[in-house]
Amino acid sequence: MSFNDKQDHTVPKTHPRYESLNYRHKIIDGMKNLVVAEAGLIAHGRGECFDYILGEKTSETAKKAIKAAVAALLIAKKPVISVNGNVAALVPNEIVILSKTIDIPLEINLFYQKQGRIDAIKHILQNAGATKIHGIDPNKMIELEGLESNRRKVELIANADVVMVPLEDGDRTEILKKLDKMVIAIDLNPLSRTALWANITIVDNIVRAVPEMIKYAKKLRNLSNSQLYEIVSNFNNKQNIQNTLDLIIEYIEKQKEKAFQDLNL
Ligand code: PTJ
């Protein structure tokens, strides 16, 4: 028996960090099944770190961005949700429910190309009930000019007006913006290039943000287009990111004393 066979990923439900460890193991299993890139483990760890200093909860600023993002997706003419390995491993069911609630196609778009990854992600999405999955057939793909990474290969994203990019790298966000697309990012790092370049930045963990988006989609889909426009135009991304940074500072200030008190130290 190899060392790997002996590994047991069962996390006791009583563990104080049960949920966080469970998501870690989803990422690890995803890597073993080709869904997640090796670098996806590191990206997840970076995300965990930011989540920690956000108090591991969806902030009011994140909710504002979520509301604006859902409104923008509802009025978009050609919206697309970009799906990478981490997204498929962490929230396969939720991303499919969101895409069905607002009727938005999913497009697999990977930074790290590896034989079998697209198929592995396609299967995960299909098992979750997805019917509209793009980014699979090389004959339908075109390349975004000015981008060298593998993310340049796109299908529907090429002609989309609104693109949602959870856990994205900054280069493509910048190019999508330069191509006049509205970019909605989900990124726990409020200072990442993606977060700063995007039109609407949801600074939250994707595992909480997508379920919250589904709730908002069900609420907002009955509004008129002009009401939805108003929500989008009243949203100020720069201000919202600055408010999020203030929340992080406040949280750390509070924790300076409280963390020790909680442990009776
Ligand atoms: O599957 P692939 O090949 O497309 O690769 C996906 C990764 C994520 C590996 C790739 O896009 C990458 O390297 O991304 P970066 O440049 O590390 O950026 C990922 C961003 O997502 C970072 O700013 C992280 O803080 C953030 N992040 C990580 N986990 C989460 C997250 N944001 C929201 N929710 C998370 N769970």
Side-chain angles (χ1 to χ4, degrees):
M1 193 186 277
S2 73
F3 173 72
N4 256 355
D5 296 331
K6 280 190 197 157
Q7 282 188 336
D8 177 5
H9 280 174
T10 320
V11 182
K13 285 219 163 91
T14 49
H15 194 288
R17 302 208 47 78
Y18 171 77
E19 280 204 16
S20 174
L21 293 178
N22 239 350
Y23 284 118
R24 260 190 197 182
H25 293 149
K26 283 187 187 204
I27 288 283
I28 294 170
D29 291 340
M31 192 203 69
K32 290 182 183 164
N33 300 332
L34 287 177
V35 170
V36 173
E38 284 89 343
L41 271 73
I42 298 162
H44 185 78
R46 183 190 294 179
E48 277 187 349
C49 192
F50 280 103
D51 207 12
Y52 220 93
I53 58 172
L54 281 156
E56 293 177 301
K57 59 179 193 303
T58 303
S59 63
E60 285 310 310
T61 56
K63 283 188 189 162
K64 272 191 190 165
I66 286 172
K67 187 175 176 187
V70 170
L73 288 167
L74 282 164
I75 45 183
K77 295 208 164 49
K78 291 179 177 177
V80 180
I81 299 176
S82 183
V83 179
N84 66 23
N86 288 46
V87 174
L90 291 173
V91 285
N93 297 319
E94 295 82 351
I95 208 81
V96 170
I97 294 172
L98 179 66
S99 87
K100 288 188 165 175
T101 311
I102 320 189
D103 194 20
I104 307 178
L106 299 171
E107 180 161 330
I108 300 173
N109 180 275
L110 304 180
F111 189 83
Y112 296 100
Q113 196 167 15
K114 190 175 189 180
Q115 177 110 34
R117 280 198 73 205
I118 290 184
D119 263 354
I121 294 171
K122 184 181 90 180
H123 285 131
I124 259 201
L125 295 175
Q126 278 174 337
N127 285 342
T131 45
K132 294 180 187 170
I133 312 173
H134 298 265
I136 294 167
D137 181 352
N139 298 318
K140 292 186 181 163
M141 310 292 274
I142 65 154
E143 298 196 357
L144 291 177
E145 241 176 78
L147 189 63
E148 288 186 8
S149 79
N150 196 46
R151 285 209 194 283
R152 70 186 186 281
K153 297 175 201 161
V154 294
E155 188 187 332
L156 299 186
I157 288 173
N159 291 313
D161 54 352
V162 180
V163 189
M164 177 165 133
V165 291
L167 282 75
E168 178 79 0
D169 57 285
D171 282 5
R172 193 172 67 146
T173 308
E174 189 179 336
I175 293 289
L176 291 174
K177 271 294 290 288
K178 286 183 177 162
L179 290 171
D180 260 351
K181 298 181 192 305
M182 177 185 257
V183 179
I184 297 169
I186 303 180
D187 194 328
L188 276 161
N189 177 1
L191 292 172
S192 74
R193 284 185 313 127
T194 289
L196 300 177
W197 268 103
N199 299 79
I200 300 175
T201 306
I202 301 167
V203 181
D204 195 14
N205 196 323
I206 190 170
V207 305
R208 295 187 301 268
V210 176
E212 195 68 21
M213 288 182 85
I214 296 168
K215 279 192 218 157
Y216 271 95
K218 288 180 182 163
K219 263 195 253 170
L220 299 187
R221 67 183 167 191
N222 300 319
L223 297 187
S224 67
N225 266 12
S226 63
Q227 287 171 308
L228 294 169
Y229 270 114
E230 204 180 318
I231 293 172
V232 178
S233 53
N234 284 339
F235 178 76
N236 180 334
N237 204 42
K238 181 177 169 190
Q239 187 63 61
N240 208 53
I241 290 178
Q242 288 171 338
N243 292 346
T244 305
L245 288 167
D246 285 339
L247 286 180
I248 292 177
I249 294 165
E250 274 169 35
Y251 180 75
I252 291 183
E253 274 295 329
K254 248 193 242 157
Q255 288 306 108
K256 218 164 80 180
E257 295 303 325
K258 193 176 170 292
F260 292 99
Q261 280 165 10
D262 286 353
L263 295 178
N264 275 329
L265 294 174

